Amino acid sequence: MTGNPEHESLPLWTGVSERRKWGSLLICLGLAFLTFATTSWLIKGDSEDLFFLPWTLGAGVLLLGSLLAERALIQIPANSKESPTTES
């Protein structure tokens, strides 16, 4: 909390190769589509009031999956003198 706010987190996709970045995003997109398709199939014919549910769940899975993948794949640069958890 008292540290410099510029060094509290790493920039997006730091140290991740293009292949791994796009691969993880394609996997997240596939999971979001499967979520959308499954939810659409499960509520098919039940109610017209739930038309937004597959879109909302698909978007949520895409957002959460890409966020988790990005944070799991980032790497601290070797030439960095400070780690993001170090307090000043």
Side-chain angles (χ1 to χ4, degrees):
M1 299 272 281
T2 61
N4 190 354
E6 295 174 351
H7 300 291
E8 287 189 13
S9 66
L10 294 171
L12 295 175
W13 299 105
T14 300
V16 180
S17 68
E18 289 292 316
R19 183 177 178 188
R20 291 181 79 186
K21 180 183 355 179
W22 290 108
S24 66
L25 289 175
L26 284 174
I27 290 171
C28 292
L29 188 62
L31 287 174
F33 176 74
L34 285 175
T35 303
F36 171 79
T38 304
T39 309
S40 296
W41 175 67
L42 287 174
I43 66 168
K44 187 176 187 179
D46 281 350
S47 175
E48 296 297 322
D49 297 334
L50 298 176
F51 73 93
F52 65 90
L53 190 60
W55 292 101
T56 305
L57 289 177
V61 167
L62 180 62
L63 178 66
L64 186 63
S66 61
L67 177 69
L68 291 174
E70 187 268 330
R71 285 290 126 176
L73 292 174
I74 61 169
Q75 298 174 3
I76 298 173
N79 58 359
S80 175
K81 294 182 181 180
E82 289 187 33
S83 68
T85 58
T86 307
E87 293 185 17
S88 298

